[in-house]
PDB file of all heavy atoms in Angstrom:
ATOM      1  N   TRP A   1      -4.853  -6.392  -7.859  1.00  0.00           N
ATOM      2  CA  TRP A   1      -5.820  -5.396  -7.348  1.00  0.00           C
ATOM      3  C   TRP A   1      -5.366  -3.970  -7.595  1.00  0.00           C
ATOM      4  O   TRP A   1      -6.241  -3.159  -8.049  1.00  0.00           O
ATOM      5  CB  TRP A   1      -6.024  -5.538  -5.865  1.00  0.00           C
ATOM      6  CG  TRP A   1      -7.096  -4.672  -5.219  1.00  0.00           C
ATOM      7  CD1 TRP A   1      -8.419  -4.924  -5.059  1.00  0.00           C
ATOM      8  CD2 TRP A   1      -6.807  -3.325  -4.753  1.00  0.00           C
ATOM      9  NE1 TRP A   1      -9.035  -3.826  -4.534  1.00  0.00           N
ATOM     10  CE2 TRP A   1      -8.056  -2.853  -4.237  1.00  0.00           C
ATOM     11  CE3 TRP A   1      -5.758  -2.440  -4.643  1.00  0.00           C
ATOM     12  CZ2 TRP A   1      -8.232  -1.612  -3.737  1.00  0.00           C
ATOM     13  CZ3 TRP A   1      -5.831  -1.272  -3.960  1.00  0.00           C
ATOM     14  CH2 TRP A   1      -7.165  -0.778  -3.604  1.00  0.00           C
ATOM     15  N   PHE A   2      -4.055  -3.719  -7.481  1.00  0.00           N
ATOM     16  CA  PHE A   2      -3.651  -2.305  -7.752  1.00  0.00           C
ATOM     17  C   PHE A   2      -3.708  -2.030  -9.216  1.00  0.00           C
ATOM     18  O   PHE A   2      -4.101  -0.914  -9.655  1.00  0.00           O
ATOM     19  CB  PHE A   2      -2.202  -2.187  -7.257  1.00  0.00           C
ATOM     20  CG  PHE A   2      -2.141  -2.256  -5.706  1.00  0.00           C
ATOM     21  CD1 PHE A   2      -1.852  -3.384  -4.979  1.00  0.00           C
ATOM     22  CD2 PHE A   2      -2.194  -1.069  -4.957  1.00  0.00           C
ATOM     23  CE1 PHE A   2      -1.869  -3.529  -3.695  1.00  0.00           C
ATOM     24  CE2 PHE A   2      -2.101  -1.061  -3.531  1.00  0.00           C
ATOM     25  CZ  PHE A   2      -1.922  -2.361  -2.886  1.00  0.00           C
ATOM     26  N   VAL A   3      -3.368  -3.093 -10.054  1.00  0.00           N
ATOM     27  CA  VAL A   3      -3.361  -2.802 -11.446  1.00  0.00           C
ATOM     28  C   VAL A   3      -4.861  -2.569 -11.958  1.00  0.00           C
ATOM     29  O   VAL A   3      -5.101  -1.552 -12.779  1.00  0.00           O
ATOM     30  CB  VAL A   3      -2.840  -4.052 -12.208  1.00  0.00           C
ATOM     31  CG1 VAL A   3      -3.012  -3.808 -13.745  1.00  0.00           C
ATOM     32  CG2 VAL A   3      -1.288  -4.094 -11.952  1.00  0.00           C
ATOM     33  N   GLU A   4      -5.755  -3.359 -11.479  1.00  0.00           N
ATOM     34  CA  GLU A   4      -7.171  -3.270 -11.776  1.00  0.00           C
ATOM     35  C   GLU A   4      -7.749  -1.965 -11.359  1.00  0.00           C
ATOM     36  O   GLU A   4      -8.682  -1.415 -12.088  1.00  0.00           O
ATOM     37  CB  GLU A   4      -7.979  -4.443 -11.252  1.00  0.00           C
ATOM     38  CG  GLU A   4      -7.694  -5.730 -11.782  1.00  0.00           C
ATOM     39  CD  GLU A   4      -8.290  -6.910 -11.035  1.00  0.00           C
ATOM     40  OE1 GLU A   4      -9.019  -6.657 -10.042  1.00  0.00           O
ATOM     41  OE2 GLU A   4      -8.078  -8.102 -11.389  1.00  0.00           O
ATOM     42  N   ASN A   5      -7.242  -1.405 -10.206  1.00  0.00           N
ATOM     43  CA  ASN A   5      -7.786  -0.140  -9.708  1.00  0.00           C
ATOM     44  C   ASN A   5      -6.960   1.165 -10.269  1.00  0.00           C
ATOM     45  O   ASN A   5      -7.132   2.184  -9.774  1.00  0.00           O
ATOM     46  CB  ASN A   5      -7.798  -0.188  -8.182  1.00  0.00           C
ATOM     47  CG  ASN A   5      -8.997  -0.967  -7.734  1.00  0.00           C
ATOM     48  OD1 ASN A   5     -10.135  -0.482  -7.494  1.00  0.00           O
ATOM     49  ND2 ASN A   5      -8.708  -2.256  -7.403  1.00  0.00           N
ATOM     50  N   ARG A   6      -6.112   0.842 -11.241  1.00  0.00           N
ATOM     51  CA  ARG A   6      -5.313   1.862 -11.918  1.00  0.00           C
ATOM     52  C   ARG A   6      -4.536   2.676 -10.837  1.00  0.00           C
ATOM     53  O   ARG A   6      -4.257   3.897 -11.116  1.00  0.00           O
ATOM     54  CB  ARG A   6      -6.197   2.734 -12.631  1.00  0.00           C
ATOM     55  CG  ARG A   6      -6.985   1.997 -13.842  1.00  0.00           C
ATOM     56  CD  ARG A   6      -7.762   2.864 -14.697  1.00  0.00           C
ATOM     57  NE  ARG A   6      -8.517   2.093 -15.743  1.00  0.00           N
ATOM     58  CZ  ARG A   6      -9.310   2.704 -16.578  1.00  0.00           C
ATOM     59  NH1 ARG A   6      -9.586   3.951 -16.565  1.00  0.00           N
ATOM     60  NH2 ARG A   6      -9.922   1.861 -17.548  1.00  0.00           N
ATOM     61  N   ILE A   7      -3.959   1.990  -9.999  1.00  0.00           N
ATOM     62  CA  ILE A   7      -3.011   2.607  -9.016  1.00  0.00           C
ATOM     63  C   ILE A   7      -1.634   2.333  -9.514  1.00  0.00           C
ATOM     64  O   ILE A   7      -1.227   1.146  -9.538  1.00  0.00           O
ATOM     65  CB  ILE A   7      -3.215   2.054  -7.572  1.00  0.00           C
ATOM     66  CG1 ILE A   7      -4.621   2.443  -7.087  1.00  0.00           C
ATOM     67  CG2 ILE A   7      -2.189   2.567  -6.631  1.00  0.00           C
ATOM     68  CD1 ILE A   7      -4.984   1.709  -5.754  1.00  0.00           C
ATOM     69  N   ASP A   8      -0.924   3.317  -9.985  1.00  0.00           N
ATOM     70  CA  ASP A   8       0.429   3.046 -10.556  1.00  0.00           C
ATOM     71  C   ASP A   8       1.611   3.266  -9.549  1.00  0.00           C
ATOM     72  O   ASP A   8       2.851   3.023  -9.929  1.00  0.00           O
ATOM     73  CB  ASP A   8       0.616   3.963 -11.794  1.00  0.00           C
ATOM     74  CG  ASP A   8       0.504   5.468 -11.588  1.00  0.00           C
ATOM     75  OD1 ASP A   8       0.382   5.814 -10.372  1.00  0.00           O
ATOM     76  OD2 ASP A   8       0.393   6.148 -12.477  1.00  0.00           O
ATOM     77  N   SER A   9       1.380   3.773  -8.471  1.00  0.00           N
ATOM     78  CA  SER A   9       2.427   3.932  -7.386  1.00  0.00           C
ATOM     79  C   SER A   9       1.636   4.023  -6.012  1.00  0.00           C
ATOM     80  O   SER A   9       0.449   4.326  -5.943  1.00  0.00           O
ATOM     81  CB  SER A   9       3.277   5.142  -7.611  1.00  0.00           C
ATOM     82  OG  SER A   9       2.491   6.350  -7.527  1.00  0.00           O
ATOM     83  N   ILE A  10       2.426   3.697  -4.946  1.00  0.00           N
ATOM     84  CA  ILE A  10       1.753   3.768  -3.647  1.00  0.00           C
ATOM     85  C   ILE A  10       2.241   5.083  -2.961  1.00  0.00           C
ATOM     86  O   ILE A  10       3.461   5.249  -2.684  1.00  0.00           O
ATOM     87  CB  ILE A  10       2.172   2.534  -2.798  1.00  0.00           C
ATOM     88  CG1 ILE A  10       1.703   1.314  -3.540  1.00  0.00           C
ATOM     89  CG2 ILE A  10       1.629   2.673  -1.424  1.00  0.00           C
ATOM     90  CD1 ILE A  10       2.075  -0.017  -2.843  1.00  0.00           C
ATOM     91  N   ASP A  11       1.372   5.918  -2.673  1.00  0.00           N
ATOM     92  CA  ASP A  11       1.798   7.241  -2.154  1.00  0.00           C
ATOM     93  C   ASP A  11       2.140   7.103  -0.680  1.00  0.00           C
ATOM     94  O   ASP A  11       1.799   6.207  -0.019  1.00  0.00           O
ATOM     95  CB  ASP A  11       0.484   8.250  -2.091  1.00  0.00           C
ATOM     96  CG  ASP A  11       0.856   9.567  -1.618  1.00  0.00           C
ATOM     97  OD1 ASP A  11       1.465  10.423  -2.495  1.00  0.00           O
ATOM     98  OD2 ASP A  11       0.608   9.955  -0.525  1.00  0.00           O
ATOM     99  N   ILE A  12       3.041   8.044  -0.211  1.00  0.00           N
ATOM    100  CA  ILE A  12       3.515   7.895   1.122  1.00  0.00           C
ATOM    101  C   ILE A  12       2.516   8.017   2.239  1.00  0.00           C
ATOM    102  O   ILE A  12       2.807   7.719   3.458  1.00  0.00           O
ATOM    103  CB  ILE A  12       4.824   8.887   1.383  1.00  0.00           C
ATOM    104  CG1 ILE A  12       4.248  10.358   1.298  1.00  0.00           C
ATOM    105  CG2 ILE A  12       5.927   8.697   0.463  1.00  0.00           C
ATOM    106  CD1 ILE A  12       5.245  11.375   1.811  1.00  0.00           C
ATOM    107  N   THR A  13       1.385   8.533   2.011  1.00  0.00           N
ATOM    108  CA  THR A  13       0.361   8.704   2.973  1.00  0.00           C
ATOM    109  C   THR A  13      -0.767   7.627   2.744  1.00  0.00           C
ATOM    110  O   THR A  13      -1.818   7.793   3.465  1.00  0.00           O
ATOM    111  CB  THR A  13      -0.210  10.111   3.006  1.00  0.00           C
ATOM    112  OG1 THR A  13      -0.794  10.398   1.614  1.00  0.00           O
ATOM    113  CG2 THR A  13       0.785  11.092   3.248  1.00  0.00           C
ATOM    114  N   SER A  14      -0.621   6.773   1.807  1.00  0.00           N
ATOM    115  CA  SER A  14      -1.677   5.765   1.528  1.00  0.00           C
ATOM    116  C   SER A  14      -1.658   4.776   2.604  1.00  0.00           C
ATOM    117  O   SER A  14      -0.767   4.261   3.195  1.00  0.00           O
ATOM    118  CB  SER A  14      -1.439   5.164   0.185  1.00  0.00           C
ATOM    119  OG  SER A  14      -2.142   3.938  -0.029  1.00  0.00           O
ATOM    120  N   PRO A  15      -3.024   4.295   2.965  1.00  0.00           N
ATOM    121  CA  PRO A  15      -3.068   3.095   3.858  1.00  0.00           C
ATOM    122  C   PRO A  15      -2.341   1.845   3.340  1.00  0.00           C
ATOM    123  O   PRO A  15      -1.949   0.943   4.026  1.00  0.00           O
ATOM    124  CB  PRO A  15      -4.509   2.970   3.997  1.00  0.00           C
ATOM    125  CG  PRO A  15      -5.135   3.500   2.825  1.00  0.00           C
ATOM    126  CD  PRO A  15      -4.199   4.659   2.515  1.00  0.00           C
ATOM    127  N   HIS A  16      -2.207   1.803   1.958  1.00  0.00           N
ATOM    128  CA  HIS A  16      -1.489   0.659   1.304  1.00  0.00           C
ATOM    129  C   HIS A  16       0.082   0.656   1.546  1.00  0.00           C
ATOM    130  O   HIS A  16       0.837  -0.249   1.303  1.00  0.00           O
ATOM    131  CB  HIS A  16      -1.789   0.558  -0.090  1.00  0.00           C
ATOM    132  CG  HIS A  16      -3.268   0.405  -0.412  1.00  0.00           C
ATOM    133  ND1 HIS A  16      -3.994  -0.651  -0.001  1.00  0.00           N
ATOM    134  CD2 HIS A  16      -4.122   1.283  -1.129  1.00  0.00           C
ATOM    135  CE1 HIS A  16      -5.262  -0.509  -0.338  1.00  0.00           C
ATOM    136  NE2 HIS A  16      -5.343   0.621  -0.940  1.00  0.00           N
ATOM    137  N   ALA A  17       0.465   1.882   2.000  1.00  0.00           N
ATOM    138  CA  ALA A  17       1.906   2.029   2.389  1.00  0.00           C
ATOM    139  C   ALA A  17       2.241   1.470   3.717  1.00  0.00           C
ATOM    140  O   ALA A  17       3.454   1.269   4.104  1.00  0.00           O
ATOM    141  CB  ALA A  17       2.314   3.498   2.304  1.00  0.00           C
ATOM    142  N   VAL A  18       1.251   1.167   4.474  1.00  0.00           N
ATOM    143  CA  VAL A  18       1.484   0.598   5.797  1.00  0.00           C
ATOM    144  C   VAL A  18       1.814  -0.896   5.745  1.00  0.00           C
ATOM    145  O   VAL A  18       1.032  -1.735   5.410  1.00  0.00           O
ATOM    146  CB  VAL A  18       0.240   0.686   6.758  1.00  0.00           C
ATOM    147  CG1 VAL A  18       0.604   0.221   8.157  1.00  0.00           C
ATOM    148  CG2 VAL A  18      -0.128   2.216   6.789  1.00  0.00           C
ATOM    149  N   THR A  19       3.110  -1.269   6.040  1.00  0.00           N
ATOM    150  CA  THR A  19       3.383  -2.551   6.195  1.00  0.00           C
ATOM    151  C   THR A  19       3.552  -2.981   7.579  1.00  0.00           C
ATOM    152  O   THR A  19       3.454  -2.214   8.507  1.00  0.00           O
ATOM    153  CB  THR A  19       4.834  -2.861   5.486  1.00  0.00           C
ATOM    154  OG1 THR A  19       5.717  -1.794   5.971  1.00  0.00           O
ATOM    155  CG2 THR A  19       4.829  -2.774   3.998  1.00  0.00           C
ATOM    156  N   THR A  20       3.612  -4.251   7.847  1.00  0.00           N
ATOM    157  CA  THR A  20       3.657  -4.706   9.289  1.00  0.00           C
ATOM    158  C   THR A  20       4.851  -4.163   9.978  1.00  0.00           C
ATOM    159  O   THR A  20       6.005  -4.271   9.503  1.00  0.00           O
ATOM    160  CB  THR A  20       3.782  -6.311   9.308  1.00  0.00           C
ATOM    161  OG1 THR A  20       2.748  -6.859   8.576  1.00  0.00           O
ATOM    162  CG2 THR A  20       3.682  -6.813  10.692  1.00  0.00           C
ATOM    163  N   PRO A  21       4.690  -3.518  11.142  1.00  0.00           N
ATOM    164  CA  PRO A  21       5.936  -2.986  11.818  1.00  0.00           C
ATOM    165  C   PRO A  21       6.746  -4.081  12.450  1.00  0.00           C
ATOM    166  O   PRO A  21       6.362  -4.911  13.228  1.00  0.00           O
ATOM    167  CB  PRO A  21       5.182  -2.172  13.044  1.00  0.00           C
ATOM    168  CG  PRO A  21       3.793  -2.021  12.660  1.00  0.00           C
ATOM    169  CD  PRO A  21       3.473  -3.244  11.821  1.00  0.00           C
ATOM    170  N   GLY A  22       8.028  -4.106  12.021  1.00  0.00           N
ATOM    171  CA  GLY A  22       8.877  -5.261  12.409  1.00  0.00           C
ATOM    172  C   GLY A  22       9.867  -4.868  13.442  1.00  0.00           C
ATOM    173  O   GLY A  22      10.445  -5.808  14.003  1.00  0.00           O
ATOM    174  N   ALA A  23       9.902  -3.656  13.944  1.00  0.00           N
ATOM    175  CA  ALA A  23      10.985  -3.157  14.904  1.00  0.00           C
ATOM    176  C   ALA A  23      10.951  -4.080  16.194  1.00  0.00           C
ATOM    177  O   ALA A  23      11.990  -4.588  16.611  1.00  0.00           O
ATOM    178  CB  ALA A  23      10.832  -1.764  15.174  1.00  0.00           C
ATOM    179  N   LEU A  24       9.834  -4.113  16.740  1.00  0.00           N
ATOM    180  CA  LEU A  24       9.787  -4.782  18.132  1.00  0.00           C
ATOM    181  C   LEU A  24      10.105  -6.248  18.039  1.00  0.00           C
ATOM    182  O   LEU A  24      10.720  -6.918  19.051  1.00  0.00           O
ATOM    183  CB  LEU A  24       8.415  -4.641  18.741  1.00  0.00           C
ATOM    184  CG  LEU A  24       8.006  -3.256  19.314  1.00  0.00           C
ATOM    185  CD1 LEU A  24       6.653  -3.187  19.733  1.00  0.00           C
ATOM    186  CD2 LEU A  24       9.039  -2.999  20.574  1.00  0.00           C
ATOM    187  N   ARG A  25       9.731  -6.944  16.914  1.00  0.00           N
ATOM    188  CA  ARG A  25      10.229  -8.333  16.785  1.00  0.00           C
ATOM    189  C   ARG A  25      11.766  -8.468  16.681  1.00  0.00           C
ATOM    190  O   ARG A  25      12.362  -9.403  17.233  1.00  0.00           O
ATOM    191  CB  ARG A  25       9.575  -9.003  15.531  1.00  0.00           C
ATOM    192  CG  ARG A  25       8.171  -9.272  15.626  1.00  0.00           C
ATOM    193  CD  ARG A  25       7.881 -10.354  16.778  1.00  0.00           C
ATOM    194  NE  ARG A  25       6.477 -10.794  16.773  1.00  0.00           N
ATOM    195  CZ  ARG A  25       5.987 -11.471  17.798  1.00  0.00           C
ATOM    196  NH1 ARG A  25       6.584 -11.691  18.849  1.00  0.00           N
ATOM    197  NH2 ARG A  25       4.712 -11.848  17.655  1.00  0.00           N
TER     198      ARG A  25
END
């Protein structure tokens, strides 16, 4: 999906930079 949409890096403010928060687990 990222390649097709010509996204070559994930910016630090991108919603795609949000990974599942693991701290509480």
Side-chain angles (χ1 to χ4, degrees):
W1 183 89
F2 292 89
V3 173
E4 289 170 5
N5 285 275
R6 299 182 180 181
I7 298 172
D8 56 11
S9 64
I10 300 175
D11 187 78
I12 62 170
T13 59
S14 167
H16 300 300
V18 181
T19 46
T20 309
L24 283 172
R25 284 299 186 198

